[in-house]
Amino acid sequence: MNYRHLHQQLARLRAMISISLFAILSACSSTPVAQRQQYDFGPWLAETPATPLPGRLQFSLTEIAVPAALESNAMLYRLQYDNVQQLKAYSQHRWSMPPAQLLAQRLKTRMANQGSDVMLSTEAASPFPVLRIELEEFSQIFSSPNQSHAQISLRASLVKGRQLLAQKSFQQKVNAASADAPGGAKAMQEAADASIDALQTWIKSLPLN
């Protein structure tokens, strides 16, 4: 047996393995790291600002109640075709603030533009009707791997003192233009605006003043 020849072959093999490992590690280190993306509802520009009128609607908004799953900034989705009862979260996509804060911020902006006075206060201190909102669902639902929609479900109650003036449940579904996080974020913004429009129409239909 030619031990010298065998030693040379082993040396070449070790060199080839080292070169291959170096190439793999270099490729991994040069691969860009995925950046976490944040989303909000974007600016809302009213076509025609409302003119404040005497006797306009005034009410207080309490902190929006949410289940534990909606307390973080996570962007949640469900796979209706697999296990719709399981909430999942995007790993690289998040909201800029928890959904309840996004919704409250949007609601105050839009209702104020429509001539309503929305104040933040505790129920005990408010001289106006108090709007309580319980946000039950705020997620992107995939009916198939290539099709999804945003869904918002909430229950609204108007109270004054210890008296319940009115209560109603709302649900909005908006199809996403793309079955991914950016498409879901856009559809969620549209669903939020539609929910606020429905809330506003309902509140204005009530004999509060």
Side-chain angles (χ1 to χ4, degrees), residues 8-199:
Q8 290 175 341
Q9 286 184 321
L10 290 173
R12 284 196 293 269
L13 181 61
R14 284 195 295 268
M16 292 175 62
I17 292 174
S18 298
I19 292 172
S20 299
L21 288 174
F22 178 78
I24 292 172
L25 292 173
S26 297
C28 290
S29 63
S30 62
T31 301
V33 177
Q35 297 295 314
R36 177 170 288 183
Q37 303 294 319
Q38 286 196 342
Y39 301 84
D40 57 22
F41 289 161
W44 182 73
L45 303 176
E47 294 82 2
T48 306
T51 302
L53 298 174
R56 62 188 182 276
L57 182 63
Q58 295 178 310
F59 65 92
S60 296
L61 175 67
T62 63
E63 183 176 350
I64 296 177
V66 297
L70 295 177
E71 290 178 349
S72 72
N73 294 34
M75 289 186 66
L76 302 177
Y77 65 93
R78 298 179 186 269
L79 302 181
Q80 192 173 37
Y81 58 89
D82 183 12
N83 182 4
V84 74
Q85 292 178 287
Q86 184 179 10
L87 271 173
K88 300 175 182 289
Y90 284 103
S91 60
Q92 296 299 323
H93 302 270
R94 297 176 67 83
W95 294 112
S96 61
M97 61 183 72
Q101 294 181 30
L102 282 172
L103 189 62
Q105 184 182 71
R106 194 71 157 190
L107 187 149
K108 288 184 291 181
T109 299
R110 295 201 63 174
M111 286 193 165
N113 183 267
Q114 295 300 317
S116 300
D117 288 335
V118 184
M119 292 144 285
L120 295 179
S121 66
T122 62
E123 294 184 33
S126 176
F128 306 111
V130 175
L131 176 63
R132 300 178 189 165
I133 296 177
E134 298 170 71
L135 185 58
E136 299 169 342
E137 184 74 25
F138 192 94
S139 64
Q140 182 180 5
I141 299 178
F142 288 80
S143 55
S144 73
N146 300 315
Q147 189 171 13
S148 70
H149 66 268
Q151 181 164 322
I152 294 178
S153 301
L154 60 86
R155 182 168 61 250
S157 304
L158 269 171
V159 299
K160 191 167 186 180
R162 296 184 178 181
Q163 181 184 2
L164 176 64
L165 303 179
Q167 187 176 74
K168 187 175 182 180
S169 293
F170 298 84
Q171 186 176 96
Q172 293 292 337
K173 296 181 180 180
V174 175
N175 290 333
S178 57
D180 54 16
K186 176 60 178 173
M188 195 63 71
Q189 171 255 305
E190 294 174 2
D193 285 346
S195 297
I196 293 169
D197 286 343
L199 266 172

